Amino acid sequence: MKNKNSFARDLRIDRRCLLRSSIAVGASFLLPRRIPASPENGLQVIEARPSKYKLIGKNAKPTEVWTYNGLVPGTEIRVKQGDEVRVRLVNKLTEPTTIHWHGIRIRNDMDGVPGLTQEPVLPGQSFDYKFAVPDAGTFWYHTHSRSWEQMEKGLYGTLIVEEIEPQNYARDISLVIDDWRLTDEGQIDVSSFGNMMDHSHAGRYGNWITVNGQDQPKIGLPRGDLVRLRLINTCNSRILSLQVPDLNAHIIAVDGQPINPKKNGGEVLQLGPAQRIDLSVEANSTTPDLPALTAFSSRGESIKIASFDIQTTSGADYGKYKIPTSLPPNPLSTDLDLSQAIRAELRMEGGAMGHMVKAIYKGESRDIGYLVRSGQAWAFNGIVGMTDNPLLAALKGQTVLIEMINDTAWPHAMHLHGHHFRALERNKKPINGAPWTDTFLISRGETVLIGFVADNPGKWLFHCHMLEHQASGMKTWINIQA
Ligand code: C2O
Ligand code: CU
């Protein structure tokens, strides 16, 4: 049986197709899955624990995964802008873990980076995360401990921060897209964790795509109403190329930050690892019943990953499309003072087909053969992995400019913790009005200047979100003094 979901060719391995259930899955309304806060302390409990989950269909054998509260994606956390998130992480895994709150301009000691902002949470122990959320938007949380394995096994969930004023959407639906590398038995291929082929090339690509932990779910959409779709890429390394059907789609936010609504007329949306796009969509009277959301494999095949189950409700006005309005702006520092800015250069090197011959690793200059034998493949400014000294030190409020030079043969998804930044120049040519993002896809050979106001004191990781690249050298940090 030829399986339409199978991304097996991306692995360039010949493998038997996974068996798919032939039972149709009912339309999913995807209501937020909340668990009650415990009454004594008001903390929402998030248990990191092994579980089994039906990633490949209702009738197939479940896959052994690691989860937050037994769910893939984990329990949705939904709060209002300005609220305090109060979560108790309970570690029921066999190894240390932490939670990082991706994209939140958070207080530093809650950022969840073991060894930089907190001690790892050991098996059997717990850690209380309490922090305010300054920005409304689409965020997510995930493990930051051996993330190339822990996240691949399923440790991630959505963190949705609602605007203070309710927005004009009939439904608000998160679509969390992940790829998994499964064996013929439908289990996570653990034997290829740490595979240097993946680490030195594009990262681990899976052969099975899920949306909200399901195989090709049907997403209920009412005709004639605006719906907010929150697309989130939780793949380890895959850059998703997505095509949304004709639903009068407009991009309304990127990485949690609002933009002026921008029409998407079926153009392919690129979503790098960790990136988010919020869309306003609307099914009209002419929309077919089950339009598909598709993704392209790296060989260009278009594959259905979900479909929209268009429901006609009485009384809805679907004569003509509504135009989405802009979301209210977040309290971001957007005034860059270029004359007083501090500047740093970040030269990205290494990887397959690169020309890095040596780099500093654990304080010693090592040749590439030694590095690869040690599981390393990439460097920033000639240094592999974390350093004692930050890439740069800034004072609170200073404007920071970082010139990223991608001197590798691969794209990278650069993520800065605790801030949003914007691209100012590409290959020395100015860019106007780039969105404020927390993760930026830089193409091979490209040089991109980014800028931001260092308004959040602390030690902030800056790394490639292709988790295999991060694991094998692509990480550094910046220090902001209060
Ligand atoms: Cu979403 Cu440092 O990561
Ligand atoms: Cu990378």
Side-chain angles (χ1 to χ4, degrees), residues 86-400:
R86 298 162 66 87
V87 165
R88 172 165 296 170
L89 165 67
V90 179
N91 184 359
K92 298 218 164 152
L93 306 170
T94 50
E95 58 184 70
T97 194
T98 57
I99 294 182
H100 167 61
W101 311 90
H102 185 113
I104 301 289
R105 298 186 299 119
I106 198 170
R107 45 181 280 193
N108 191 245
D109 59 350
M110 295 287 122
D111 196 43
V113 181
L116 189 69
T117 68
Q118 71 167 96
E119 292 299 317
V121 184
L122 300 178
Q125 297 194 340
S126 68
F127 186 89
D128 292 350
Y129 290 98
K130 293 180 194 163
F131 55 91
V133 285
D135 299 332
T138 303
F139 302 97
W140 62 299
Y141 64 98
H142 61 78
T143 171
H144 218 298
S145 186
R146 296 172 53 77
S147 31
W148 72 99
E149 277 193 30
Q150 291 194 0
M151 239 174 80
E152 175 67 2
K153 289 180 174 176
L155 287 175
Y156 57 80
T158 54
L159 170 50
I160 305 300
V161 183
E162 293 173 351
E163 290 74 18
I164 291 168
E165 295 297 328
Q167 299 300 300
N168 189 26
Y169 292 100
R171 276 183 210 163
D172 181 333
I173 300 169
S174 299
L175 299 180
V176 182
I177 307 169
D178 196 6
D179 70 342
W180 308 77
R181 187 181 293 180
L182 301 179
T183 63
D184 292 346
E185 288 71 46
Q187 298 304 313
I188 292 172
D189 180 2
V190 292
S191 68
S192 61
F193 278 133
N195 177 324
M196 278 314 282
M197 188 71 171
D198 293 331
H199 282 239
S200 62
H201 289 70
R204 181 184 178 99
Y205 270 47
N207 51 11
W208 190 256
I209 293 248
T210 56
V211 175
N212 298 339
Q214 297 167 53
D215 171 35
Q216 301 183 1
K218 286 184 184 152
I219 314 296
L221 280 194
R223 250 184 237 282
D225 275 319
L226 286 180
V227 170
R228 181 172 183 168
L229 290 184
R230 303 171 186 263
L231 305 175
I232 307 174
N233 181 350
T234 63
C235 299
N236 273 29
S237 285
R238 180 185 293 272
I239 301 170
L240 288 165
S241 298
L242 300 171
Q243 200 161 31
V244 179
D246 179 13
L247 289 169
N248 190 36
H250 286 74
I251 302 174
I252 55 171
V254 175
D255 284 3
Q257 300 298 346
I259 64 166
N260 286 329
K262 188 171 158 245
K263 171 102 180 137
N264 173 266
E267 304 85 75
V268 170
L269 292 173
Q270 270 215 333
L271 201 60
Q275 291 182 323
R276 289 90 65 212
I277 289 178
D278 285 33
L279 291 176
S280 158
V281 297
E282 184 183 356
N284 207 335
S285 48
T286 56
T287 308
D289 287 343
L290 273 179
L293 175 66
T294 57
F296 293 92
S297 74
S298 34
R299 296 217 174 163
E301 302 156 279
S302 155
I303 291 159
K304 178 172 100 179
I305 60 169
S307 54
F308 298 102
D309 187 4
I310 311 297
Q311 297 145 1
T312 303
T313 51
S314 61
D317 155 34
Y318 47 87
K320 65 171 188 276
Y321 286 136
K322 297 173 198 64
I323 302 297
T325 49
S326 300
L327 296 166
N330 283 319
L332 206 64
S333 310
T334 54
D335 281 333
L336 300 178
D337 179 359
L338 300 182
S339 61
Q340 305 291 315
I342 43 169
R343 229 186 140 104
E345 191 180 281
L346 185 84
R347 182 173 290 274
M348 314 162 77
E349 295 165 303
M353 294 170 276
H355 44 253
M356 184 169 87
V357 290
K358 60 179 184 354
I360 295 174
Y361 177 53
K362 295 187 172 165
E364 307 273 346
S365 178
R366 300 293 190 181
D367 63 53
I368 187 76
Y370 180 97
L371 294 173
V372 169
R373 286 192 299 277
S374 314
Q376 304 299 315
W378 307 90
F380 286 156
N381 295 341
I383 303 171
V384 174
M386 279 298 270
T387 49
D388 294 338
N389 294 320
L391 172 70
L392 66 89
L395 293 175
K396 185 180 177 201
Q398 263 187 314
T399 292
V400 173

Side-chain angles (χ1 to χ4, degrees), residues 201 348 378 410-414 464-467 469-470 474:
H201 289 70
M348 314 162 77
W378 307 90
W410 304 88
H412 299 286
M414 291 302 297
C464 180
H465 218 289
M466 291 161 171
L467 301 178
H469 295 177
Q470 179 191 350
M474 295 197 122

